Amino acid sequence: MPLKYLHTMVRVKDLEKSMAFYALLGLKETRRYDSEAGRFSLIFMAPPGQEEAPVELTWNWDGDDELPSDSRHFGHLAYEVDNIYETCQHLMDNGVVINRPPRDGRMAFVRSPDNISIELLQAGDALPPAEPWSSMENTGNW
């Protein structure tokens, strides 16, 4: 029986903040569905050229107080990047906390405004260790 990946859904509290976060990662809005009757919006965001692998941001217009505070029940989203150091620096420059710095030149973790853990993986071989990443401590949970 064939299986085809469709998307990963995460619920968000602040649509603008969440969309801005995923845009910092390089994702673009690919489609949107607004339900007047259900009072919710579904915004699909994906890396350019990878529209078949989106993350679906589900936003309830009247708020969503049921989101857990730590989101650890979810696991994480993972994205491959061309240069993990440049990506992490770009995120830090825009106010994103690097929870698990890329000390090994290969892997880092950050969190979305909705506390979704995002894993960043270096494409190909790990980059040589470099400062400030090599000596940077973890911050919070990842």
Side-chain angles (χ1 to χ4, degrees), residues 22 25-31 43-56 79:
Y22 289 101
L25 288 174
L27 280 65
K28 306 283 186 211
E29 182 177 334
T30 59
R31 62 188 160 110
I43 294 84
F44 294 84
M45 298 184 74
Q50 298 177 52
E51 289 75 18
E52 74 285 356
V55 60
E56 172 193 318
Y79 293 99

Side-chain angles (χ1 to χ4, degrees), residues 20-142:
F21 172 81
Y22 289 101
L24 282 173
L25 288 174
L27 280 65
K28 306 283 186 211
E29 182 177 334
T30 59
R31 62 188 160 110
R32 178 186 291 246
Y33 173 76
D34 295 312
S35 172
E36 195 73 40
R39 302 196 48 73
F40 67 88
S41 295
L42 307 178
I43 294 84
F44 294 84
M45 298 184 74
Q50 298 177 52
E51 289 75 18
E52 74 285 356
V55 60
E56 172 193 318
L57 307 181
T58 297
W59 178 60
N60 293 313
W61 299 356
D62 299 318
D64 198 343
D65 294 331
E66 298 303 314
L67 287 175
S69 62
D70 68 359
S71 294
R72 293 305 291 171
H73 65 285
F74 172 77
H76 65 267
L77 298 174
Y79 293 99
E80 183 177 83
V81 299
D82 288 335
N83 185 306
I84 197 157
Y85 297 143
E86 289 176 5
T87 300
C88 287
Q89 188 64 57
H90 170 70
L91 293 172
M92 275 183 37
D93 290 348
N94 284 277
V96 175
V97 173
I98 308 300
N99 299 106
R100 194 279 191 190
R103 288 184 293 273
D104 55 5
R106 170 138 183 80
M107 178 182 68
F109 277 87
V110 298
R111 292 242 176 181
S112 77
D114 300 290
N115 224 6
I116 301 296
S117 192
I118 311 292
E119 180 181 21
L120 304 171
L121 292 169
Q122 173 63 41
D125 294 334
L127 299 180
E131 292 298 340
W133 314 108
S134 296
S135 59
M136 191 178 287
E137 296 293 322
N138 291 346
T139 302
N141 295 317
W142 50 277

